Each structure stands twice: as C-alpha cells, then as structure tokens.
Amino acid sequence: MITISNLKKSFGETVACDISQLTVADGELLGLVGNNGAGKTTLFRMLLDLLKPDQGQVHIDDIDPSQSEDWKATTAAYIDESFLIDYLTPEEYFAFLAKISSMPQEVMDERLSQFEHFAGGEVLGQKKLIRNLSAGNKQKVGIMSVLLRQPKLVILDEPFNFLDPTSQNILKHMLTDYRQQTGSTILLSSHNLQHTIDISTRIVLLEKGHILRDLENAGEEARQELNNYFEEQA
C-alpha cells in the first residue's frame, strides 16, 4: 500500500505538488492524468526518493523511502531513458538486472521470452547498444526491465510515449495481465487518456499539483467526466 500525507513541492513560486492525502491499495492499477505541469512526474520522483519534498511524507508498505531502502526490493520503475545503461545492449542490461536481483539465467530467459511479441523483433538479438535504438525501442527496454523483475509495485511515467499503435495495445494487455496474474500494484501516468481509462481500476486527475478528481473507473462515468474536463480545457 502507498500512503501520501501533506506532500508539497514547489519550484520557485510554481507549485508542482500539493496533495493532502492519497492512498493506493494493493492490487490497484492507478492512472494519473493531467495536462503538462500537473505534477505527475514530480509525484513519481518523490515516491522514488529522487526528489525531496518541501514537506510531507510518502510511504511504501509503511516504509519511508527517504529513510530506508527496503522498498527497493519490491519496487521497479521506469521514468525516462536516464534509467537505462545505454552503453550496454538490451541483453547485457537485462543480464545486469538479473544479476543484482539474484535471478537465475534460466528464469531471466523464460521471462524475456514472454516479451517477444512486445519487443517485435527490434529489441532482442539486434546486437545494438541501447543508445543506438530508436526512442520507441528504448521505451520497450525500459518497460521490459521493470516487468522482468516481477515487482510488487510498478511505476511507469508515460509508458505509451514513442510506441506505435500496435505496441501500445500490446502494452495495455501486458499491464492488465501482469496485475491480474501477480496481484501487483501499478501506478502509471499518461497523456493518452483513452489507454489510461481502458486499463485503470482508478484514475486520479491532477491539475497544477492538486488532486482535482479521484475516480473509481467503473462503467463509463469516469470516461465521460474526464472527457468533459479535457474538452473544457481545449
């Protein structure tokens, strides 16, 4: 479970995050949506202890990430390509992740085989360094690296970015199946409203760092409310 209390972060006079209370239950797929500057990435970076809040606290399974690293054993995230080691090939990078996770080679190979459809013959077996891959294939490497370790908590920032429509649809099924099969919690942010609505069990709408809506995604109510909001912003 994730709990957030009185969390605030500003850059100069710009409020990037101001969340009084937010709880994410185990097994939820929570989608964060909002326009540029809504605070989605800032929130993720504070969850991952990559950015210090001005005040407030976050906890992952009752662990404060700023005080202990125990949460890292059950959490995996991909925010952007800075998370990758780009002078390695994808295979070398995955082998490195497996090694630091004490994952046997045969387990890694079996898990990677499950991503072959998503990789699309353009990521594995190409003998290319990650830095020489296209933006879309770097995105695939990052997402695969997260799911490879089968974490209890998955955090993905704009996972649909750079992916072609076929890969986006494959990813939707991958994330849905992963949550259902493992019971894991998934947090994702996206500008792709329709994909987020399609797979999320709950959606939080952010505006200028504040929670504007917190919607259970049942039926078509959340879709209609979010579509109305963004149409008004246009």
Side-chain angles (χ1 to χ4, degrees):
M1 178 185 290
I2 298 170
T3 57
I4 295 170
S5 302
N6 301 315
L7 191 66
K8 294 185 180 182
K9 182 65 181 180
S10 297
F11 298 99
E13 295 185 359
T14 300
V15 176
C17 184
D18 187 354
I19 297 175
S20 59
Q21 192 71 35
L22 178 65
T23 300
V24 183
D26 291 340
E28 285 196 285
L29 199 165
L30 179 71
L32 293 178
V33 298
N35 291 316
N36 289 335
K40 303 183 296 293
T41 301
T42 299
L43 175 58
F44 281 171
R45 289 189 174 277
M46 287 190 286
L47 276 172
L48 297 168
D49 195 34
L50 298 173
L51 186 65
K52 300 296 183 184
D54 297 331
Q55 68 179 68
Q57 291 183 320
V58 299
H59 287 88
I60 299 173
D61 287 336
D62 296 323
I63 299 169
D64 182 343
S66 68
Q67 302 299 317
S68 169
E69 295 192 351
D70 291 348
W71 59 279
K72 292 183 178 180
T74 58
T75 302
Y78 184 67
I79 303 296
D80 56 42
E81 64 182 73
S82 68
F83 277 51
L84 305 174
I85 303 176
D86 68 358
Y87 57 81
L88 300 178
T89 66
E91 287 88 346
E92 290 170 338
Y93 181 54
F94 296 140
F96 167 75
L97 295 176
K99 183 176 182 179
I100 63 175
S101 303
S102 300
M103 184 189 304
Q105 178 74 37
E106 59 271 19
V107 174
M108 183 193 76
D109 291 341
E110 192 278 329
R111 291 181 182 178
L112 282 178
S113 69
Q114 299 173 13
F115 300 129
E116 287 182 356
H117 190 37
F118 181 58
E122 299 179 334
V123 173
L124 301 173
Q126 301 304 299
K127 297 182 179 180
K128 284 186 178 182
L129 301 180
I130 292 172
R131 65 179 172 226
N132 294 328
L133 296 176
S134 68
N137 286 330
K138 288 178 183 176
Q139 188 82 340
K140 291 180 181 181
V141 171
I143 293 167
M144 291 165 63
S145 72
V146 169
L147 300 181
L148 176 69
R149 288 170 279 173
Q150 295 192 350
K152 181 182 176 183
L153 173 61
V154 171
I155 297 177
L156 297 171
D157 194 19
E158 299 291 350
F160 300 106
N161 273 7
F162 311 118
L163 300 181
D164 59 46
T166 297
S167 297
Q168 290 179 11
N169 282 320
I170 294 171
L171 177 58
K172 287 199 299 183
H173 291 293
M174 280 174 49
L175 294 177
T176 298
D177 291 346
Y178 180 79
R179 185 184 69 85
Q180 292 175 344
Q181 292 167 8
T182 65
S184 298
T185 305
I186 300 176
L187 273 64
L188 66 85
S189 73
S190 181
H191 283 115
N192 192 312
L193 182 62
Q194 300 312 316
H195 284 341
T196 305
I197 293 172
D198 286 345
I199 64 174
S200 298
T201 60
R202 179 178 160 209
I203 300 174
V204 168
L205 171 63
L206 293 176
E207 182 180 275
K208 297 180 180 179
H210 297 82
I211 295 177
L212 203 61
R213 304 278 194 283
D214 188 340
L215 306 168
E216 294 296 329
N217 192 21
E220 289 295 310
E221 292 83 1
R223 186 184 301 272
Q224 189 60 54
E225 186 166 348
L226 291 167
N227 281 333
N228 290 343
Y229 169 79
F230 286 106
E231 285 176 3
E232 290 172 1
Q233 302 300 306

